[in-house]
Amino acid sequence: FSKVGMGFALGSLIACLPVNTYTSLLLGEVYKAVPEVVTYGDALARLIHPRAGTVGYWSLYVFFFFTATNYVICLSDSIQSVAYALDWCRPLAAGVGCVLLIPTNQYRSLGALGFLSFVSFATIVATLIICVYMLLTTEADKVCTGEYAAPDFYGYSSAISGFVFAYAGQSMMLELQSEMKDPRDFPKSVLSSFFTLFVVYMVVGIVSHARCGAASPGDLQLVVAKGPWKVVVGVLMTIHLT
């Protein structure tokens, strides 16, 4: 919002909602046609050609690799918040985060992650409530720490990519359907989850932009000053990401 303005950001957020919803529902149709598939590679090999399946496997796992690196960066930020008094560098914080990921990475199915998914959702909701409260109640010069830069092609393309990525979940949707008790409920899951994401992104973005304008912080955690609440937010985000 701060990089490209309220109008462009809202327009992108709204435009990405039907696109991501539609592509997700298309994956529902793919699963109906070939219910034995679990991932993109399976689907492409079954519907097109085994070589297409190979491309699907490689593309998906390369995507997962780079997505994982992005999450590790976010996780390192959260661990730095927990240990802010120790002034840990990012490589050290990232290393600690990778160690924390080992236990939960032993789960080999989405079904086994049911309780952890609930915990993850609860911790991110708690984090948002705390950060938005701090944003609205703390002096503006202490929370509006972003630096304005006139948007250019890179800024606009980066913002659009961010919105697309924020909605992205299609990479797991074939596997999700394969583990659902009743795959016929998949469209309900898609519609409810994307609508929830849209509302959360819109509310947080509008509140942050209304409060700070072009000086909105790049990371919502930055609105929490050093102290006990910074540790609390860091712990919540660490639990969410692990």
Side-chain angles (χ1 to χ4, degrees):
F1 280 73
S2 62
K3 292 181 179 179
V4 294
M6 177 73 77
F8 185 86
L10 276 179
S12 299
L13 185 63
I14 293 170
C16 287
L17 176 61
V19 171
N20 282 274
T21 301
Y22 179 66
T23 54
S24 299
L25 293 175
L26 283 180
L27 288 171
E29 295 302 314
V30 170
Y31 187 78
K32 287 180 183 178
V34 279
E36 67 272 17
V37 303
V38 177
T39 186
Y40 281 113
D42 297 339
L44 289 170
R46 180 73 172 78
L47 297 172
I48 302 177
H49 191 275
R51 290 183 180 178
T54 300
V55 173
Y57 286 121
W58 276 96
S59 300
L60 182 62
Y61 292 117
V62 168
F63 169 78
F64 279 156
F65 173 79
F66 286 106
T67 300
T69 60
N70 184 60
Y71 278 110
V72 169
I73 291 173
C74 295
L75 179 58
S76 68
D77 288 336
S78 301
I79 291 174
Q80 285 178 316
S81 293
V82 175
Y84 75 89
L86 302 177
D87 196 26
W88 283 359
C89 63
R90 186 181 295 280
L92 176 58
V96 172
C98 289
V99 171
L100 294 176
L101 285 169
I102 293 174
T104 52
N105 278 355
Q106 304 313 305
Y107 290 98
R108 298 303 180 190
S109 68
L110 295 176
L113 296 174
F115 176 73
L116 292 180
S117 298
F118 171 78
V119 172
S120 178
F121 178 77
T123 52
I124 190 61
V125 169
T127 299
L128 287 173
I129 292 173
I130 293 171
C131 289
V132 171
Y133 176 79
M134 294 291 184
L135 179 66
L136 295 175
T137 59
T138 307
E139 295 178 10
D141 60 336
K142 294 182 179 179
V143 295
C144 301
T145 55
E147 296 182 1
Y148 174 75
D152 52 13
F153 175 78
Y154 175 79
Y156 282 111
S157 59
S158 176
I160 294 173
S161 299
F163 284 122
V164 172
F165 178 78
Y167 280 116
Q170 291 90 333
S171 58
M172 296 295 294
M173 286 184 177
L174 289 174
E175 183 176 354
L176 177 65
Q177 291 175 87
S178 71
E179 296 196 28
M180 291 181 70
K181 292 181 178 178
D182 188 355
R184 291 176 298 179
D185 289 332
F186 178 70
K188 299 177 186 177
S189 301
V190 169
L191 295 174
S192 60
S193 59
F194 278 130
F195 178 75
T196 301
L197 285 174
F198 172 74
V199 171
V200 170
Y201 293 146
M202 183 176 65
V203 170
V204 173
I206 290 176
V207 169
S208 178
H209 192 271
R211 175 67 166 158
C212 296
S216 298
D219 184 345
L220 197 58
Q221 293 184 73
L222 296 176
V223 305
V224 183
K226 292 181 178 180
W229 281 112
K230 189 174 187 67
V231 175
V232 170
V233 168
V235 169
L236 289 171
M237 282 299 297
T238 299
I239 295 172
H240 168 69
L241 292 167
T242 55

